[in-house]
Amino acid sequence: MIGDRRIRVSVNGTAYEVGVEPRTTLVDFLRADLGLTGTHVGCEHGVCGACTVLVDGLAVRSCLMLAVQADGSEITTVEGLEGPEGELHPIQEAFLEEHGLQCGFCTPGFLMATYEMLTDDPKPDEDEIMEVLGGQICRCTGYQGIRRAVDCAIDKLGGTRPADVFGAGGPEGPDAPDAPDADPVGADGAGEGSAR
Amino acid sequence: MTVEIPKRIDQLPNPEPRYIGKRVTRREDAALLTGRVEFIDDVALPRMLHAAILRSPFAHARIRSIDTSEAEAMPGVEAVVTGADALRWQRVSGSSPDGWGGRCPAVEKVTFVGEPVAAVAATSRYLAEDALERIEVDYEPLEPVVDPFAAMEEGSPLVMEANGTNVMMHRVFTWGEVDEAFDTAAHVFTERFRWNRVGANPMETFGTVCEWDPVTLEMTVRGAIQSASFMGLGRAATFGLPTNLVNVKANAHGGSFGGKGGGRGIDIAAMLSRKAGGRPVKWIEDRVEYLTSGGSQAWDRHYEAALAVDADGRMTGFRVTLVDDLGANGEGYGSISAAKPLTAFTGPYTIPAAGYDLALVATNKLPSGPYRGMGPPPHFMVLEQLVDIAARALGVDPAELRRRNFIPPEAFPYTIPSGNEYDSGSYEEVLDAALALAGYDDLLRWRDAARADGRLVGVGVATAVEPGVFDWNAYATVGLPQTGVPEGATVSFDIRGCATVRVGFAMEGQGQYTLVSQVVADYFALDIDSVRVIQLDTLAAPPSFGPGGSRLGVAITGAVLGACERLAEKMRTVVAGLMQTTPETIELRGGRFGIPGVPEAQMSLAQVAGTMLARSDLLPPGMDPLPEATYVWTAPDRTPADEMGRAKSYLTAAQAVHVVAVEIDPDTGQVEIVKYALADDCGTRLNPVVVEGQTDGGIAQGIGAALYEQYVYDDEGQPLTASFMDYLIPTIAEVPRSDKAAVVTPSPFTALGAKGCGEGAIHTTPAAVMCAINDALAPLGVRARETPATPERLWRLISGAGVGASGSTGEEREQS
Amino acid sequence: MKPAPLDHAAPTTVGEAVALLNDPEREAVALAGGQSLMPMLNLRLARPDLLVDLTRVEGLDHIRESAGWIEMGAMATKRAVERSSLVRERQPMWHEATLQIGHPQIRNRGTVGGSMAQADPAAEYPAAAVALGAEVRAVGPSGERTIPATEFFLGYLTTALAPGEILTEVRVPVIPPGRGWAFREVCRRHGDFAMAGTAVTVDLDASGRCTATRIALFGVGPVPARAVEAEKIVDGEAPGEEIFERAGRAAAGAIDEPLADVHASADYRRHLAAVLTGRALAQAATRAGRPEGS
């Protein structure tokens, strides 16, 4: 048996330093080792999106990542969305008000994907919504309530970044497209930089 | 004491109901949205082990030997089970047609790919899967039979040799003068159809945590279980245990749609637990297991059907021959799916005579199980295609032909030829609402203009009846016991007048806990936040079947209202005693008990409940002091099936009309849904937002069945759709927005007039989409007869490169 | 569905990574974004002793232009490419191909190099690379080499990468002004692997005739390959529906062993390839000659 690796991660603002077997997937680590069971396992091959979490602000499949790969990362799960007093995040409120969920199993993934989308663009158009949420499967709602919920969340946020709803300390979203280190290339097209 | 359950909202003892019939935000959601709800995979018990299952790679093989010694010796492995343990502890499954049940893990022989052969419990799932790789199984491969027609031939390999045949059941039903109807009809339209296997695929697979104590033999089952009591009874029967040794604690679960299966997973986890000294054993089905070996696959059907129509366009007879491929052993109640169409065989039409030739056939594929709708969705696809074929041949508008044949409103309650009774309906009104919402005339003009430009566009109108409130009497035809299906609730007040309702089913997504709260709050004029719903284990809960067969909304409303009536009666007795009058003079109105017209003779709920709980000395002598009452609801006035399967079984009959417009890319065969509108009538809508959500979800599943989803097997019985890359569930990009209108014709038979409404859309959507596709194809003179209508199948039809439906060469035959 | 036991190493330099991959004691596999490899690991269809995780290797995630080439580090994510205004403006076909890959949640981790090295026959980047005349840079124990994309894809899920060699960069020529391009595919659902797809570029000469046409099909044969015969049919001809349809049929007909699976038979894939190629040629020819090249 291969020994555990120590990793450091920040999950929903809490720092952890934990030993983990290299083969452990990130979703199993979050659920079994940290007890954060709000993130759900739907297919373990990256299609359904139930396990979607934010890693350094980007929505990713936590079944398609090893926990050891998250060493040094900031992770946000559904448990990190609510406010300090247990207030629902506006995205969560929107799903509640618009019947954006039935069984609720896929919902954390939809919330996290929506969170990244609205961080990236506070007013996504229909195509953008289809593009992002097309990567998440729901078997209950037929997506109609989810469509309404996303529209409602856009209105509720009114341009506020999802991370800023409860003041500072919310999970950082991905950098905006024109931020210097996201698209490192200058106008002359000759720059060099990091992909992240 | 007879209990009169209010049949209308205005019969509630509350002049101003605030919740029933209103768009009430679900009370379940805050916990779901924040990751707080405990699903089965979230359960962690002390000393819990994790199971993994070794499955057959062969569709048909004899097991020569199994060597588990290496696996058992691995560190972290605590128990291993095989068919030998099943043989020791298990009886054969009772969910198959007689004589077809088996054991699990397999004994001696495997009959489908994915059949459990052995299982391991270890300290982690990772280790358990490691251990599976150390189990040696020596198989002797046998020739599989995968096609049901081949399976029916002499000399076919036999799935179960002892039965001497692969035909599990063959029955011919005749209702009315069907031969005469066809002999004398002006027109007869005949067609073959192929409905390929689809399935539920809830986003959460099945899972369980079992404890089976080897000393006390007490079994505790947790799990993503749709019907807790039913699962408990099944496990007790399987293991030959007294029923009160099995306690089921169903977790909230991530959807089911009938496709959760799970009994066999529980059996395995339970046996592992028993071998591990009673330690809890968790087994979570993974998605590949779900897709290839789970409870999901349903409706693998080959149809030949005929519609007799008279000169005026009245349908006079409907005949269906169905070969239903149930897979290896019919386990998991797949046989029900073929019987349920009896509850709505002739749909919303006044067809007076019908016939059903039904063969249930075993093949070396996964046993077919339940899926939302439980059988009628393919049946209505068949009926509605025939209606369109007739309309086209007769030159009548398809909507008009349907209208001409609708059961009229004054004919209800209406008994259909196959015996079920429809409670009420306003079919023409629903049709008009759907056509108006869709802008039907404009759609037809759009279609004709686009067609003139050479585009393949079509408009489909389809209608179906949704039998609601599941009843076992419908299934005597396939050998199941005829009993009622109970649902119970206990309503109680605490000393402050807050209500608690105890039920026996878990949250599954349909908002039933909200519904229960709505009903109690409106009955007693409480704020909805004063009502809490608690789920009890099966050994503590009132009788409950839970969700299934579009029943729970109706059933639990009846149960809760019954309990409210009983509780109110009890409290009236108390109040009468305190006011020194008779209970009949005490009225409950707007949440207060008292003598009407006497303002000083009024008591609040809290006062009455507080008196009962804290001052039993003040109560009438001998009176039960608890402010609590239980009621167990069953569908009234159901009848057992006669020799032709005719029964008054399902209590309600909802109805819908869907209108769909599509455009097909003639070069690629891809279908785009450009318009979707519908109207439905499911009686009183207790929470319209939930009703609409059920419709939306059913549409998406129906679109899946019509265009995307199919379980595929190769000739050797190997499943080729083992991932979500292959089994295609529609995403938001494949499901169009839909416009919905409601018609409300209350049921005369149910609490508040509500009807079952969880399955209506999936009954209608596949038919409507196929109608639209065939309307688009009509100018080419070809017809899509097979679901799903994939791009390739449509391309083949369009290009004339081949027939669309494999195994279907049927042709329209018109007699005139 | 849990990975078999494995070890994980996260080197920070290409040299370390190459050394780890060439460990004679252990079967080592390079892990890029993991969006194809991780499902294989979860299913135990891949079971290496060691994963050499390239995520932390420095200098592998650039996106830049140099001497007429767009250079993308192997570990540049598809999302970074998608958001790159450089790629969008200077290599719009690559940008378009990126948008067809899965969904943002997959592109957030999936990488340029990972997609090329996986060599899925239905993947977008390999076909775009072949059509555009891209090159692949690889580093192995014996140093660095450059492989033309047309020589990189050898067979089903098989590339010219030697064992122990790491793909470090993909270089794609910028689309010159006036070159028309099109990238089209047909999937069962948006975001799925293509049942068939085509990547096409067309130039128009001074007389308005097609020249330097390049066509690469994907999702049809076991590897993305140029349809040379079809290109010849187009070159020298004026743009036109008939010629493009003929070229499409030729391109599709040239595929030896079309793939077949539950979504599409070989015949249907071939048919789609022909249709798409015809449509793509028409779209590319329409774009050709426009100064913005889009």
Side-chain angles (χ1 to χ4, degrees):
Chain A
M1 186 171 148
I2 291 143
D4 285 359
R5 292 294 150 71
R6 290 206 80 70
I7 61 168
R8 291 182 196 192
V9 289
S10 165
V11 184
N12 303 329
T14 302
Y16 297 87
E17 185 172 344
V18 201
V20 61
E21 200 186 348
R23 63 167 159 168
T24 307
T25 58
L26 178 59
V27 67
D28 284 348
F29 170 75
L30 292 170
R31 291 175 46 79
D33 295 22
L34 302 189
L36 294 169
T37 54
T39 302
H40 297 148
V41 178
C43 75
E44 293 181 286
H45 55 278
V47 180
C48 80
C51 68
T52 303
V53 300
L54 304 186
V55 175
D56 295 327
L58 296 172
V60 303
R61 311 295 204 217
S62 59
C63 71
L64 295 190
M65 198 174 157
L66 297 172
V68 287
Q69 293 188 283
D71 188 16
S73 298
E74 286 192 18
I75 295 167
T76 308
T77 68
V78 67
E79 289 93 342
L81 294 187
E82 67 198 58
E85 307 282 327
E87 313 93 309
L88 294 186
H89 191 278
I91 299 173
Q92 292 170 313
E93 280 182 347
F95 273 72
L96 186 146
E97 290 170 16
E98 296 294 344
H99 196 34
L101 66 156
Q102 290 183 23
C103 80
F105 195 79
C106 70
T107 309
F110 272 92
L111 295 174
M112 303 319 288
T114 303
Y115 188 106
E116 191 212 349
M117 174 174 68
L118 297 184
T119 301
D120 198 31
D121 180 356
K123 302 256 186 261
D125 62 18
E126 175 91 359
D127 286 349
E128 272 178 274
I129 295 170
M130 294 296 111
E131 177 68 14
V132 173
L133 297 189
Q136 310 287 129
I137 298 178
C138 169
R139 194 58 159 166
C140 294
T141 63
Y143 307 101
Q144 306 305 307
I146 292 171
R147 286 171 192 259
R148 292 194 304 270
V150 170
D151 290 343
C152 176
I154 293 167
D155 287 347
K156 278 178 182 283
L157 285 166
T160 304
R161 279 164 57 96
D164 296 338
V165 167
F166 299 114
E172 285 301 316
D175 300 296
D178 57 351
D181 61 346
D183 184 355
V185 182
D188 62 355
E192 179 173 358
S194 153
R196 264 219 296 248
Chain B
M1 183 178 81
T2 49
V3 173
E4 278 295 319
I5 294 174
K7 290 196 165 128
R8 297 196 313 268
I9 295 173
D10 63 13
Q11 291 172 344
L12 293 171
N14 176 6
E16 292 170 353
R18 294 157 62 194
Y19 303 108
I20 295 171
K22 308 290 197 310
R23 304 181 74 85
V24 179
T25 301
R26 297 200 322 170
R27 307 181 76 222
E28 292 91 334
D29 286 357
L32 288 165
L33 282 160
T34 52
R36 280 172 168 74
V37 168
E38 186 182 67
F39 293 96
I40 186 61
D41 197 17
D42 306 340
V43 171
L45 300 179
R47 304 181 70 236
M48 187 171 78
L49 300 170
H50 300 262
I53 297 174
L54 184 67
R55 296 174 179 280
S56 168
F58 295 104
H60 197 192
R62 212 166 297 289
I63 300 170
R64 286 204 193 97
S65 64
I66 304 180
D67 181 356
T68 61
S69 55
E70 236 187 279
E72 285 173 66
M74 288 173 67
V77 172
E78 299 293 330
V80 178
V81 297
T82 67
D85 302 292
L87 207 53
R88 186 150 55 116
W89 287 327
Q90 259 180 22
R91 301 175 180 187
V92 297
S93 162
S95 63
S96 304
D98 270 357
W100 288 87
R103 290 186 173 83
C104 181
V107 177
E108 291 177 2
K109 197 174 115 158
V110 289
T111 54
F112 61 94
V113 172
E115 184 167 3
V117 172
V120 171
T123 48
S124 84
R125 174 69 177 244
Y126 289 75
L127 288 176
E129 292 191 17
D130 294 348
L132 294 185
E133 299 180 340
R134 309 287 187 88
I135 296 175
E136 291 288 332
V137 185
D138 184 13
Y139 294 100
E140 176 194 344
L142 303 171
E143 187 189 344
V145 57
V146 181
D147 174 73
F149 294 98
M152 288 190 286
E153 283 173 12
E154 282 293 315
S156 164
L158 294 174
V159 178
M160 281 185 77
E161 284 89 353
N163 288 326
T165 173
N166 290 317
V167 180
M168 296 182 182
M169 201 186 84
H170 180 211
R171 283 198 67 173
V172 179
F173 301 94
T174 304
W175 304 301
E177 301 302 324
V178 66
D179 287 343
E180 192 190 329
F182 275 86
D183 289 346
T184 60
H187 313 275
V188 171
F189 303 96
T190 302
E191 183 57 289
R192 291 187 189 173
F193 300 94
R194 174 78 172 104
W195 179 291
N196 282 294
R197 276 190 178 213
V198 293
N201 269 296
M203 295 323 296
E204 180 203 42
T205 57
F206 182 74
T208 183
V209 176
C210 286
E211 298 158 86
W212 192 12
D213 191 290
V215 176
T216 65
L217 295 185
E218 289 168 4
M219 184 186 289
T220 304
V221 180
R222 292 172 173 80
I225 297 167
Q226 184 170 337
S227 175
S229 64
F230 196 65
M231 187 64 86
L233 293 173
R235 274 34 275 155
T238 296
F239 290 111
L241 293 172
T243 43
N244 60 4
L245 281 186
V246 181
N247 191 25
V248 181
K249 302 164 178 280
N251 287 72
H253 44 286
S256 178
F257 318 109
K260 219 65 168 179
R264 290 318 207 171
I266 292 172
D267 294 352
I268 285 175
M271 291 191 297
L272 286 167
S273 171
R274 181 166 175 172
K275 283 187 118 175
R279 288 173 71 170
V281 173
K282 176 189 277 189
W283 177 66
I284 303 296
E285 181 179 53
D286 68 36
R287 185 57 65 179
V288 173
E289 290 181 296
Y290 185 85
L291 288 165
T292 59
S293 340
S296 149
Q297 300 186 7
W299 313 338
D300 194 345
R301 295 186 169 177
H302 302 260
Y303 282 101
E304 181 164 353
L307 190 65
V309 183
D310 75 11
D312 301 329
R314 294 199 183 276
M315 306 177 206
T316 55
F318 179 40
R319 258 190 192 137
V320 176
T321 300
L322 168 60
V323 172
D324 198 358
D325 178 352
L326 286 197
N329 53 31
E331 194 174 294
Y333 299 99
S335 55
I336 290 180
S337 286
K340 185 172 169 190
L342 268 64
T343 62
F345 199 85
T346 41
Y349 306 121
T350 54
I351 304 173
Y356 195 24
D357 182 322
L358 171 62
L360 306 181
V361 182
T363 58
N364 291 114
K365 295 193 274 196
L366 178 67
S368 160
Y371 178 29
R372 191 181 206 168
M374 201 78 210
H379 182 85
F380 286 125
M381 190 274 286
V382 167
L383 175 56
E384 290 296 279
Q385 297 315 297
L386 284 174
V387 174
D388 267 13
I389 289 168
R392 201 161 285 122
L394 302 176
V396 180
D397 176 81
E400 172 55 28
L401 188 64
R402 287 172 170 83
R403 183 192 305 276
R404 213 175 276 178
N405 285 278
F406 276 153
I407 300 165
E410 63 276 13
F412 293 96
Y414 184 89
T415 300
I416 59 172
S418 51
N420 197 25
E421 180 189 70
Y422 294 171
D423 53 347
S424 67
S426 308
Y427 297 168
E428 202 168 347
E429 197 181 332
V430 173
L431 177 67
D432 287 336
L435 296 180
L437 192 63
Y440 185 62
D441 295 338
D442 289 342
L443 270 184
L444 295 185
R445 277 190 286 275
W446 162 82
R447 178 197 66 186
D448 294 342
R451 215 171 249 181
D453 291 342
R455 289 158 62 192
L456 291 181
V457 295
V459 177
V461 177
T463 175
V465 168
E466 175 191 9
V469 190
F470 159 63
D471 186 83
W472 281 117
N473 286 307
Y475 302 118
T477 46
V478 287
L480 292 166
Q482 306 194 26
T483 70
V485 188
E487 199 62 43
T490 300
V491 179
S492 62
F493 283 113
D494 65 18
I495 204 160
R496 297 285 182 216
C498 289
T500 301
V501 187
R502 281 166 275 169
V503 299
F505 58 88
M507 290 197 300
E508 189 177 87
Q510 305 95 327
Q512 312 290 13
Y513 287 15
T514 299
L515 173 60
V516 167
S517 307
Q518 289 172 267
V519 172
V520 174
D522 273 349
Y523 190 93
F524 288 108
L526 296 165
D527 191 280
I528 200 165
D529 291 333
S530 300
V531 184
R532 185 161 179 201
V533 183
I534 299 283
Q535 176 201 346
L536 298 182
D537 304 348
T538 51
L539 291 186
S544 167
F545 183 87
S550 294
R551 72 175 291 275
L552 188 55
V554 169
I556 194 63
T557 300
V560 168
L561 281 176
C564 287
E565 286 282 330
R566 281 199 168 150
L567 181 51
E569 180 61 28
K570 202 168 173 183
M571 294 172 88
R572 268 198 295 273
T573 305
V574 170
V575 173
L578 294 173
M579 295 183 180
Q580 300 182 337
T581 179
T582 57
E584 301 77 55
T585 58
I586 302 297
E587 184 184 63
L588 166 64
R589 192 154 177 84
R592 297 180 71 79
F593 289 93
I595 302 169
V598 185
E600 61 276 19
Q602 302 289 332
M603 289 179 77
S604 70
L605 282 175
Q607 288 171 318
V608 182
T611 303
M612 292 173 80
L613 286 164
R615 293 300 306 274
S616 58
D617 58 311
L618 299 179
L619 304 186
M623 172 139 195
D624 166 17
L626 292 177
E628 161 180 315
T630 298
Y631 187 81
V632 181
W633 184 91
T634 55
D637 193 26
R638 300 300 88 192
T639 61
D642 68 11
E643 75 291 346
M644 274 296 161
R646 286 176 292 226
K648 271 171 72 176
S649 53
Y650 280 52
L651 183 66
T652 66
Q655 183 247 356
V657 174
H658 292 208
V659 182
V660 184
V662 301
E663 175 151 17
I664 305 173
D665 182 328
D667 291 328
T668 66
Q670 289 178 300
V671 174
E672 184 191 359
I673 297 175
V674 295
K675 178 86 183 173
Y676 206 114
L678 68 99
D680 63 5
D681 182 355
C682 54
T684 305
R685 299 159 91 86
L686 300 170
N687 187 351
V689 74
V690 167
V691 173
E692 288 160 20
Q694 292 298 305
T695 302
D696 288 334
I699 290 172
Q701 290 177 336
I703 288 172
L707 297 177
Y708 298 99
E709 300 177 30
Q710 179 184 350
Y711 287 108
V712 181
Y713 285 83
D714 72 9
D715 294 342
E716 298 298 310
Q718 291 291 335
L720 302 181
T721 38
S723 81
F724 275 164
M725 311 277 280
D726 304 314
Y727 189 86
L728 304 181
I729 293 179
T731 74
I732 194 169
E734 284 75 46
V735 181
R737 291 179 194 272
S738 55
D739 299 319
K740 292 181 276 295
V743 171
V744 175
T745 311
S747 171
F749 301 150
T750 67
L752 306 181
K755 298 185 181 188
C757 66
E759 301 168 305
I762 199 172
H763 282 63
T764 322
T765 300
V769 172
M770 293 302 284
C771 285
I773 287 171
N774 279 321
D775 186 47
L777 295 177
L780 303 180
V782 295
R783 206 151 52 224
R785 307 177 179 99
E786 180 169 14
T787 62
T790 61
E792 174 159 359
R793 289 190 177 120
L794 294 180
W795 166 69
R796 286 186 183 280
L797 283 172
I798 294 164
S799 66
V803 290
S806 67
S808 166
T809 54
E811 285 173 10
E812 179 179 338
R813 170 176 61 91
E814 202 194 327
Q815 306 171 335
S816 37
Chain C
M1 268 183 90
K2 308 294 180 190
L6 53 78
D7 204 352
H8 172 265
T12 56
T13 67
V14 171
E16 284 174 60
V18 169
L20 283 161
L21 274 176
N22 286 280
D23 181 342
E25 303 293 310
R26 297 193 286 184
E27 190 201 331
V29 166
L31 172 65
Q35 303 302 285
S36 297
L37 181 55
M38 279 297 301
M40 307 278 281
L41 293 170
N42 288 348
L43 288 160
R44 300 195 177 203
L45 295 172
R47 36 189 321 148
D49 303 316
L50 173 65
L51 283 177
V52 179
D53 183 352
L54 304 181
T55 316
R56 288 162 208 275
V57 174
E58 285 169 18
L60 288 189
D61 58 0
H62 55 273
I63 301 171
R64 65 191 171 212
E65 181 175 347
S66 172
W69 295 80
I70 303 295
E71 299 179 340
M72 290 165 283
M75 293 300 289
T77 65
K78 291 158 182 162
R79 200 71 190 286
V81 173
E82 169 187 349
R83 290 161 187 253
S84 162
S85 55
L86 172 70
V87 175
R88 191 169 60 243
E89 286 158 18
R90 303 283 286 159
Q91 185 35 272
M93 189 209 277
W94 197 265
H95 176 77
E96 179 65 27
T98 306
L99 296 178
Q100 305 294 321
I101 303 170
H103 296 91
Q105 298 87 319
I106 295 297
R107 300 198 290 269
N108 273 337
R109 280 196 70 77
T111 62
V112 172
S115 211
M116 294 288 282
Q118 179 71 19
D120 191 294
E124 287 82 359
Y125 277 163
V130 168
L132 292 169
E135 294 177 354
V136 167
R137 282 199 171 131
V139 175
S142 48
E144 187 180 62
R145 63 180 178 134
T146 300
I147 311 162
T150 47
E151 295 166 24
F152 184 72
F153 302 103
L154 301 183
Y156 183 78
L157 304 182
T158 308
T159 69
L161 283 178
E165 209 172 24
I166 292 174
L167 191 162
T168 54
E169 185 181 85
V170 178
R171 318 170 66 227
V172 187
V174 300
I175 293 237
R179 175 165 297 167
W181 61 273
F183 189 92
R184 303 183 75 116
E185 64 180 48
V186 175
C187 311
R188 291 292 302 279
R189 299 171 304 182
H190 175 68
D192 285 339
F193 275 116
M195 295 188 285
T198 188
V200 166
T201 67
V202 176
D203 289 5
L204 296 181
D205 66 16
S207 65
R209 293 177 186 281
C210 299
T211 181
T213 302
R214 293 180 70 109
I215 301 168
L217 302 183
F218 60 105
V220 188
V223 289
R226 276 183 64 184
V228 180
E229 290 305 313
E231 293 170 359
K232 284 183 191 156
I233 290 172
V234 175
D235 281 345
E237 300 285 341
E241 196 174 327
E242 189 277 330
I243 200 80
F244 291 154
E245 284 180 5
R246 190 146 60 86
R249 286 193 299 274
I255 295 157
D256 282 341
E257 311 160 52
L259 302 167
D261 66 8
V262 294
H263 304 307
S265 67
D267 287 351
Y268 181 55
R269 284 174 194 274
R270 214 192 277 275
H271 164 77
L272 288 178
V275 169
L276 289 176
T277 302
R279 289 180 182 178
L281 284 166
Q283 186 180 16
T286 307
R287 279 177 172 149
R290 290 191 195 164
E292 71 274 25
S294 61

